[in-house]
PDB file of all heavy atoms in Angstrom:
ATOM      1  N   PRO Q 943     131.503  65.070 146.652  1.00  0.00           N
ATOM      2  CA  PRO Q 943     131.791  63.736 147.078  1.00  0.00           C
ATOM      3  C   PRO Q 943     130.669  63.010 147.790  1.00  0.00           C
ATOM      4  O   PRO Q 943     130.052  63.671 148.669  1.00  0.00           O
ATOM      5  CB  PRO Q 943     133.056  63.965 148.098  1.00  0.00           C
ATOM      6  CG  PRO Q 943     133.489  65.260 147.687  1.00  0.00           C
ATOM      7  CD  PRO Q 943     132.295  66.082 147.291  1.00  0.00           C
ATOM      8  N   CYS Q 944     130.314  61.817 147.400  1.00  0.00           N
ATOM      9  CA  CYS Q 944     129.158  61.208 147.911  1.00  0.00           C
ATOM     10  C   CYS Q 944     129.160  59.694 147.697  1.00  0.00           C
ATOM     11  O   CYS Q 944     130.032  59.257 146.938  1.00  0.00           O
ATOM     12  CB  CYS Q 944     127.892  61.772 147.344  1.00  0.00           C
ATOM     13  SG  CYS Q 944     127.848  61.707 145.564  1.00  0.00           S
ATOM     14  N   PHE Q 945     128.305  58.939 148.368  1.00  0.00           N
ATOM     15  CA  PHE Q 945     128.110  57.553 148.144  1.00  0.00           C
ATOM     16  C   PHE Q 945     127.082  57.378 147.026  1.00  0.00           C
ATOM     17  O   PHE Q 945     125.930  57.328 147.238  1.00  0.00           O
ATOM     18  CB  PHE Q 945     127.565  56.878 149.455  1.00  0.00           C
ATOM     19  CG  PHE Q 945     128.536  57.041 150.594  1.00  0.00           C
ATOM     20  CD1 PHE Q 945     128.681  58.188 151.303  1.00  0.00           C
ATOM     21  CD2 PHE Q 945     129.373  55.884 151.016  1.00  0.00           C
ATOM     22  CE1 PHE Q 945     129.491  58.275 152.358  1.00  0.00           C
ATOM     23  CE2 PHE Q 945     130.292  55.965 151.972  1.00  0.00           C
ATOM     24  CZ  PHE Q 945     130.396  57.135 152.781  1.00  0.00           C
ATOM     25  N   ASP Q 946     127.610  57.434 145.876  1.00  0.00           N
ATOM     26  CA  ASP Q 946     126.783  57.626 144.615  1.00  0.00           C
ATOM     27  C   ASP Q 946     126.165  56.329 144.017  1.00  0.00           C
ATOM     28  O   ASP Q 946     126.457  56.026 142.897  1.00  0.00           O
ATOM     29  CB  ASP Q 946     127.608  58.468 143.513  1.00  0.00           C
ATOM     30  CG  ASP Q 946     126.722  59.082 142.550  1.00  0.00           C
ATOM     31  OD1 ASP Q 946     125.562  59.118 142.767  1.00  0.00           O
ATOM     32  OD2 ASP Q 946     127.260  59.544 141.542  1.00  0.00           O
ATOM     33  N   GLU Q 947     125.542  55.572 144.811  1.00  0.00           N
ATOM     34  CA  GLU Q 947     124.778  54.473 144.403  1.00  0.00           C
ATOM     35  C   GLU Q 947     123.359  54.599 144.891  1.00  0.00           C
ATOM     36  O   GLU Q 947     123.135  55.052 146.026  1.00  0.00           O
ATOM     37  CB  GLU Q 947     125.427  53.117 144.916  1.00  0.00           C
ATOM     38  CG  GLU Q 947     126.846  52.869 144.291  1.00  0.00           C
ATOM     39  CD  GLU Q 947     127.398  51.562 144.757  1.00  0.00           C
ATOM     40  OE1 GLU Q 947     126.655  50.741 145.301  1.00  0.00           O
ATOM     41  OE2 GLU Q 947     128.572  51.335 144.545  1.00  0.00           O
ATOM     42  N   PRO Q 948     122.334  54.166 144.115  1.00  0.00           N
ATOM     43  CA  PRO Q 948     120.938  54.324 144.561  1.00  0.00           C
ATOM     44  C   PRO Q 948     120.555  53.829 145.970  1.00  0.00           C
ATOM     45  O   PRO Q 948     119.639  54.318 146.612  1.00  0.00           O
ATOM     46  CB  PRO Q 948     120.108  53.744 143.441  1.00  0.00           C
ATOM     47  CG  PRO Q 948     121.065  52.925 142.614  1.00  0.00           C
ATOM     48  CD  PRO Q 948     122.491  53.454 142.883  1.00  0.00           C
ATOM     49  N   ALA Q 949     121.195  52.771 146.368  1.00  0.00           N
ATOM     50  CA  ALA Q 949     120.802  52.151 147.640  1.00  0.00           C
ATOM     51  C   ALA Q 949     121.329  52.950 148.921  1.00  0.00           C
ATOM     52  O   ALA Q 949     120.869  52.756 149.932  1.00  0.00           O
ATOM     53  CB  ALA Q 949     121.273  50.683 147.702  1.00  0.00           C
ATOM     54  N   PHE Q 950     122.301  53.841 148.681  1.00  0.00           N
ATOM     55  CA  PHE Q 950     122.870  54.580 149.817  1.00  0.00           C
ATOM     56  C   PHE Q 950     122.030  55.829 149.991  1.00  0.00           C
ATOM     57  O   PHE Q 950     122.480  56.939 149.659  1.00  0.00           O
ATOM     58  CB  PHE Q 950     124.335  54.975 149.435  1.00  0.00           C
ATOM     59  CG  PHE Q 950     125.285  53.836 149.593  1.00  0.00           C
ATOM     60  CD1 PHE Q 950     125.432  52.849 148.641  1.00  0.00           C
ATOM     61  CD2 PHE Q 950     126.028  53.624 150.679  1.00  0.00           C
ATOM     62  CE1 PHE Q 950     126.322  51.829 148.612  1.00  0.00           C
ATOM     63  CE2 PHE Q 950     126.951  52.567 150.821  1.00  0.00           C
ATOM     64  CZ  PHE Q 950     127.164  51.562 149.746  1.00  0.00           C
ATOM     65  N   LYS Q 951     120.885  55.578 150.535  1.00  0.00           N
ATOM     66  CA  LYS Q 951     119.941  56.703 150.734  1.00  0.00           C
ATOM     67  C   LYS Q 951     120.368  57.491 151.978  1.00  0.00           C
ATOM     68  O   LYS Q 951     120.783  56.963 153.035  1.00  0.00           O
ATOM     69  CB  LYS Q 951     118.542  56.216 150.840  1.00  0.00           C
ATOM     70  CG  LYS Q 951     117.938  55.690 149.508  1.00  0.00           C
ATOM     71  CD  LYS Q 951     116.376  55.392 149.637  1.00  0.00           C
ATOM     72  CE  LYS Q 951     115.866  55.046 148.241  1.00  0.00           C
ATOM     73  NZ  LYS Q 951     114.476  54.959 148.364  1.00  0.00           N
ATOM     74  N   ALA Q 952     120.139  58.915 151.911  1.00  0.00           N
ATOM     75  CA  ALA Q 952     120.447  59.656 153.201  1.00  0.00           C
ATOM     76  C   ALA Q 952     119.536  60.894 153.045  1.00  0.00           C
ATOM     77  O   ALA Q 952     118.789  61.109 152.036  1.00  0.00           O
ATOM     78  CB  ALA Q 952     121.918  60.044 153.127  1.00  0.00           C
ATOM     79  N   THR Q 953     119.633  61.851 153.971  1.00  0.00           N
ATOM     80  CA  THR Q 953     118.959  63.090 153.855  1.00  0.00           C
ATOM     81  C   THR Q 953     120.022  64.130 153.505  1.00  0.00           C
ATOM     82  O   THR Q 953     121.217  63.966 153.722  1.00  0.00           O
ATOM     83  CB  THR Q 953     118.270  63.525 155.170  1.00  0.00           C
ATOM     84  OG1 THR Q 953     119.306  63.692 156.240  1.00  0.00           O
ATOM     85  CG2 THR Q 953     117.359  62.364 155.671  1.00  0.00           C
ATOM     86  N   PHE Q 954     119.453  65.217 152.979  1.00  0.00           N
ATOM     87  CA  PHE Q 954     120.362  66.386 152.422  1.00  0.00           C
ATOM     88  C   PHE Q 954     119.979  67.718 152.950  1.00  0.00           C
ATOM     89  O   PHE Q 954     118.766  68.034 152.765  1.00  0.00           O
ATOM     90  CB  PHE Q 954     120.349  66.322 150.905  1.00  0.00           C
ATOM     91  CG  PHE Q 954     120.992  65.080 150.372  1.00  0.00           C
ATOM     92  CD1 PHE Q 954     120.091  63.957 150.200  1.00  0.00           C
ATOM     93  CD2 PHE Q 954     122.288  64.937 149.966  1.00  0.00           C
ATOM     94  CE1 PHE Q 954     120.631  62.749 149.715  1.00  0.00           C
ATOM     95  CE2 PHE Q 954     122.712  63.735 149.352  1.00  0.00           C
ATOM     96  CZ  PHE Q 954     121.937  62.680 149.207  1.00  0.00           C
ATOM     97  N   ILE Q 955     120.884  68.487 153.426  1.00  0.00           N
ATOM     98  CA  ILE Q 955     120.672  69.959 153.649  1.00  0.00           C
ATOM     99  C   ILE Q 955     121.603  70.667 152.698  1.00  0.00           C
ATOM    100  O   ILE Q 955     122.819  70.399 152.619  1.00  0.00           O
ATOM    101  CB  ILE Q 955     121.060  70.240 155.100  1.00  0.00           C
ATOM    102  CG1 ILE Q 955     120.154  69.569 156.136  1.00  0.00           C
ATOM    103  CG2 ILE Q 955     121.081  71.792 155.251  1.00  0.00           C
ATOM    104  CD1 ILE Q 955     120.586  69.718 157.577  1.00  0.00           C
ATOM    105  N   ILE Q 956     120.978  71.442 151.936  1.00  0.00           N
ATOM    106  CA  ILE Q 956     121.735  72.177 150.820  1.00  0.00           C
ATOM    107  C   ILE Q 956     121.711  73.693 151.070  1.00  0.00           C
ATOM    108  O   ILE Q 956     120.651  74.265 151.333  1.00  0.00           O
ATOM    109  CB  ILE Q 956     121.054  71.684 149.452  1.00  0.00           C
ATOM    110  CG1 ILE Q 956     121.451  70.227 149.248  1.00  0.00           C
ATOM    111  CG2 ILE Q 956     121.776  72.629 148.296  1.00  0.00           C
ATOM    112  CD1 ILE Q 956     120.804  69.687 147.970  1.00  0.00           C
ATOM    113  N   ARG Q 957     122.950  74.248 150.829  1.00  0.00           N
ATOM    114  CA  ARG Q 957     123.116  75.733 151.075  1.00  0.00           C
ATOM    115  C   ARG Q 957     123.631  76.265 149.671  1.00  0.00           C
ATOM    116  O   ARG Q 957     124.706  75.608 149.275  1.00  0.00           O
ATOM    117  CB  ARG Q 957     123.901  76.107 152.228  1.00  0.00           C
ATOM    118  CG  ARG Q 957     123.283  75.594 153.595  1.00  0.00           C
ATOM    119  CD  ARG Q 957     124.128  76.107 154.758  1.00  0.00           C
ATOM    120  NE  ARG Q 957     123.685  75.413 156.007  1.00  0.00           N
ATOM    121  CZ  ARG Q 957     124.190  74.332 156.486  1.00  0.00           C
ATOM    122  NH1 ARG Q 957     125.273  73.769 155.864  1.00  0.00           N
ATOM    123  NH2 ARG Q 957     123.722  73.759 157.577  1.00  0.00           N
ATOM    124  N   ILE Q 958     123.189  77.340 149.168  1.00  0.00           N
ATOM    125  CA  ILE Q 958     123.771  77.845 147.920  1.00  0.00           C
ATOM    126  C   ILE Q 958     123.954  79.361 148.099  1.00  0.00           C
ATOM    127  O   ILE Q 958     123.106  80.061 148.617  1.00  0.00           O
ATOM    128  CB  ILE Q 958     122.749  77.533 146.743  1.00  0.00           C
ATOM    129  CG1 ILE Q 958     122.841  76.038 146.513  1.00  0.00           C
ATOM    130  CG2 ILE Q 958     123.168  78.279 145.458  1.00  0.00           C
ATOM    131  CD1 ILE Q 958     121.819  75.612 145.387  1.00  0.00           C
TER     132      ILE Q 958
END
Side-chain angles (χ1 to χ4, degrees):
C944 58
F945 297 78
D946 198 11
E947 292 184 13
F950 287 79
K951 291 190 173 185
T953 64
F954 295 83
I955 294 172
I956 293 172
R957 300 182 189 96
I958 291 174

